[in-house]
Amino acid sequence: MATTQTAQRKVIIIGGGFAGLECARKLANDQRFQVTLLDRTNHHLFQPLLYQVATASLAGPDIARSIRQILENARNVTVLMDEVTSISPSEKTITATSGQTYGFDYLVLAAGAKTGYFGNDQWEQYSLGLKSLADAQAIRRKILSNLERAEITDDPAERERLMTIAIVGGGPTGVELAGACADLIHRSLKSNFRRIDTGKLRVILIENSPKILEHYDSGQSDYAKKRLQSLGVEVRNNVRVINVLPGRLLFNDETHLEAEAIVWAAGIAANPLTKDLGVETDRAGRITPNLDLSIPGNPDIFVAGDLTNMRDREEKFVPGVAPAAVQMGDHIAALLKEELRLEKTRFASRKHELRPLFKYTDKGMMAIIGKNHAVLKAGKLKLNGFLAWAAWLLIHILFLIGFRNKLSVLLGWAFAYLRNNPDARIIVNPPQTFPTQQSVR
Ligand SMILES: Cc1cc2nc3c(=O)[nH]c(=O)nc-3n(C[C@H](O)[C@H](O)[C@H](O)COP(=O)(O)OP(=O)(O)OC[C@H]3O[C@@H](n4cnc5c(N)ncnc54)[C@H](O)[C@@H]3O)c2cc1C
């Protein structure tokens, strides 16, 4: 177990995503804290651009950056690539796959969420999620390899299955991915093949409820649906997946779909570490923390980001988006600093009562629907179409400049994007094919 050498408070942060990284940044070089940030990967990932990696517009490293590098000037922060396997709130320790146990005075659990299958975890083996860089690369590999196989086969049924991409879930991830897949195949790759007609490739978006993008206004949902349809995407509303088999989806209306590439973008589940905290969770495993973001019954353990389900101090719902995670990480760091300040005042005994309560500032949301079109909703402002897309592009260009600090990456991406000629098309380690349907039935 790590030992305390100074009177510094030991803060353990689990997860170097938006919430954990922001917390570490805000505690950086405050010598009252000895911070250890653990992440199972060595990089911070910008998930909002994952579908661009999945559809070959960006390479993986373009949207990820070494956590160690980001925090290189934070002298009081130690970064460890280690996967946390358990938390003991009573002993104030965590254990990781390396076999190490780390002690803490304060714990910040910011380990995010994973793809959720509504209790049908066996569906994971026959579908692809989109949460990590490895997921995005697997989708890209699958789509590109399927086209290669379709170019070879003489069997029309097999070719059709290989040329069908099913995306389950009509939220922002499913919609953005469907639009980008349609763009990739119908625009970018259309002159690359000789035997198959890429125009025949089917992208099918499946959504259980009557509308896609349900957190947007009805007009924006309708716009997104029409836009996807004009790109050649088939949008199927009001249909629920009841089983996922290799290359096949079964629906509640007794129909089925043959699709070699099945992407599951329908749900999330909180990181299973939430179970170790001994507090109530919702069906997706998320925790509703106190308004200061500590967990019920334990003022020294905080949760932040996608693994929470909460309303802020003004009763406003806090969505699972990057700005909310950043604001939570920021809040916890500010709270810890204030807590230590109060300890030196006559308010020391009331420090927990005087904690600041979390307030979420909504920065709006946007979803891109293929090239040149997007929907944007920020307060009363609602934009559809080119202007929303231009705003999306500007925000992400600014992000890439700040994130990569590499003009060459940015220019390469912008150029390929505008010319419909995405570059990241190399297939490394083609996927194993799934067993045939006959062999599993
Ligand atoms: C495809 C996609 C598109 C999105 N688009 C948008 C968008 O356009 N706009 C927007 O605002 N939001 C978007 N989001 C949501 C946004 O990315 C999340 O809300 C945000 O990443 C949540 O931050 P977090 O810190 O809670 O978790 P994450 O960013 O997921 O970080 C969690 C970290 O914890 C680490 N970790 C997990 N388990 C362990 C463990 N056991 N031990 C150690 N480390 C661990 C992970 O490696 C990861 O680095 C999108 C998400 C996805 C998946």
Side-chain angles (χ1 to χ4, degrees):
M1 192 193 299
T3 54
T4 312
Q5 288 167 1
T6 69
Q8 284 178 310
R9 297 300 161 86
K10 283 189 282 180
V11 181
I12 295 245
I13 301 173
I14 306 177
F18 285 95
L21 187 62
E22 185 64 13
C23 189
R25 273 179 165 152
K26 291 290 161 63
L27 293 176
N29 298 319
D30 184 331
Q31 296 308 329
R32 295 173 299 173
F33 299 100
Q34 182 193 96
V35 182
T36 306
L37 187 153
L38 295 102
D39 198 293
R40 63 183 169 200
T41 71
N42 77 338
H43 53 263
H44 170 74
L45 177 66
F46 190 75
Q47 291 177 0
L49 283 175
L50 267 179
Y51 75 93
Q52 291 267 335
V53 175
T55 52
S57 285
L58 284 169
D62 296 342
I63 63 160
R65 211 175 149 210
S66 152
I67 300 173
R68 199 172 285 294
Q69 191 186 4
I70 297 172
L71 293 169
E72 68 185 341
N73 295 323
R75 310 303 306 171
N76 63 332
V77 181
T78 302
V79 177
L80 299 174
M81 190 176 95
D82 208 355
E83 179 162 5
V84 178
T85 48
S86 65
I87 302 169
S88 169
S90 56
E91 288 172 21
K92 291 194 139 189
T93 58
I94 60 161
T95 307
T97 40
S98 63
Q100 294 280 344
T101 297
Y102 306 90
F104 62 83
D105 297 310
Y106 296 108
L107 176 70
V108 180
L109 179 58
K114 59 184 186 126
T115 306
Y117 295 86
F118 310 116
N120 298 292
D121 289 349
Q122 70 280 10
W123 294 354
E124 185 178 359
Q125 60 187 317
Y126 304 128
S127 59
L128 301 155
L130 185 58
K131 282 305 258 179
S132 66
L133 211 46
D135 289 342
Q137 286 165 335
I139 292 176
R140 180 174 66 198
R141 217 165 29 232
K142 186 89 182 149
I143 293 174
L144 295 179
S145 303
N146 285 352
L147 290 175
E148 296 297 340
R149 287 170 61 201
E151 180 84 340
I152 292 169
T153 186
D154 292 322
D155 177 348
E158 188 188 6
R159 185 179 307 133
E160 195 179 325
R161 200 180 68 243
L162 286 165
M163 291 182 64
T164 304
I165 301 170
I167 299 170
V168 186
T173 300
V175 166
E176 292 192 329
L177 187 64
C181 281
D183 264 349
L184 171 74
I185 289 135
H186 298 313
R187 289 188 184 174
S188 309
L189 300 183
K190 72 172 184 221
S191 57
N192 285 199
F193 292 85
R194 300 292 170 263
R195 300 181 66 189
I196 55 170
D197 174 2
T198 49
K200 292 208 170 125
L201 189 125
R202 295 174 72 196
V203 180
I204 302 160
L205 182 67
I206 297 136
E207 168 56 44
N208 188 14
S209 63
K211 62 178 214 171
I212 57 170
L213 292 182
E214 65 175 349
H215 294 300
Y216 288 77
D217 289 357
S218 292
Q220 293 188 298
S221 297
D222 292 345
Y223 171 83
K225 184 170 177 174
K226 284 198 188 106
R227 179 68 206 141
L228 282 178
Q229 286 168 332
S230 73
L231 287 171
V233 176
E234 298 167 42
V235 183
R236 291 189 65 185
N237 285 104
N238 299 312
V239 62
R240 187 163 49 84
V241 172
I242 55 165
N243 205 354
V244 183
L245 298 168
R248 173 179 275 218
L249 287 171
L250 306 186
F251 301 114
N252 61 334
D253 60 5
E254 298 185 357
T255 59
H256 72 272
L257 176 70
E258 308 276 337
E260 187 65 22
I262 299 173
V263 180
W264 189 264
I268 62 149
N271 190 291
L273 286 171
T274 51
K275 294 193 190 105
D276 289 8
L277 299 183
V279 295
E280 208 177 313
T281 57
D282 68 8
R283 284 176 62 202
R286 292 171 301 182
I287 289 174
T288 300
N290 299 320
L291 285 176
D292 63 2
L293 301 184
S294 67
I295 61 168
N298 197 329
D300 297 334
I301 297 184
F302 299 87
V303 286
D306 277 7
L307 48 72
T308 63
N309 175 7
M310 71 177 295
R311 290 181 178 275
D312 74 354
R313 68 176 192 224
E314 291 171 357
E315 285 286 300
K316 200 189 307 159
F317 177 69
V318 184
V321 292
V326 169
Q327 290 170 33
M328 287 181 178
D330 178 58
H331 178 87
I332 295 168
L335 180 155
L336 292 181
K337 289 180 174 188
E338 177 64 3
E339 183 119 322
L340 259 57
R341 191 189 69 78
L342 282 180
E343 279 181 10
K344 296 202 170 132
T345 70
R346 65 195 169 89
F347 298 109
S349 62
R350 294 182 53 212
K351 61 181 185 178
H352 291 157
E353 293 162 42
L354 297 174
R355 280 179 165 181
L357 305 181
F358 180 64
K359 178 174 179 309
Y360 170 61
T361 307
D362 185 359
K363 300 213 165 146
M365 52 188 184
M366 53 173 75
I368 180 169
I369 311 144
K371 214 174 94 178
N372 296 342
H373 293 264
V375 287
L376 181 156
K377 188 177 169 200
K380 288 191 176 138
L381 176 69
K382 285 167 200 105
L383 276 182
N384 300 342
F386 184 77
L387 271 184
W389 177 79
W392 176 91
L393 193 64
L394 183 69
I395 288 168
H396 288 83
I397 282 178
L398 290 176
F399 156 75
L400 280 179
I401 291 175
F403 192 59
R404 301 298 311 165
N405 204 14
K406 262 193 188 170
L407 204 57
S408 57
V409 169
L410 168 74
L411 290 177
W413 176 57
F415 195 59
Y417 193 55
L418 293 172
R419 284 180 57 234
N420 291 324
N421 198 9
D423 236 1
R425 293 191 212 168
I426 307 304
I427 306 171
V428 184
N429 299 330
Q432 301 286 315
T433 54
F434 292 135
T436 62
Q437 288 153 29
Q438 287 76 7
S439 65
V440 294
R441 264 196 247 123

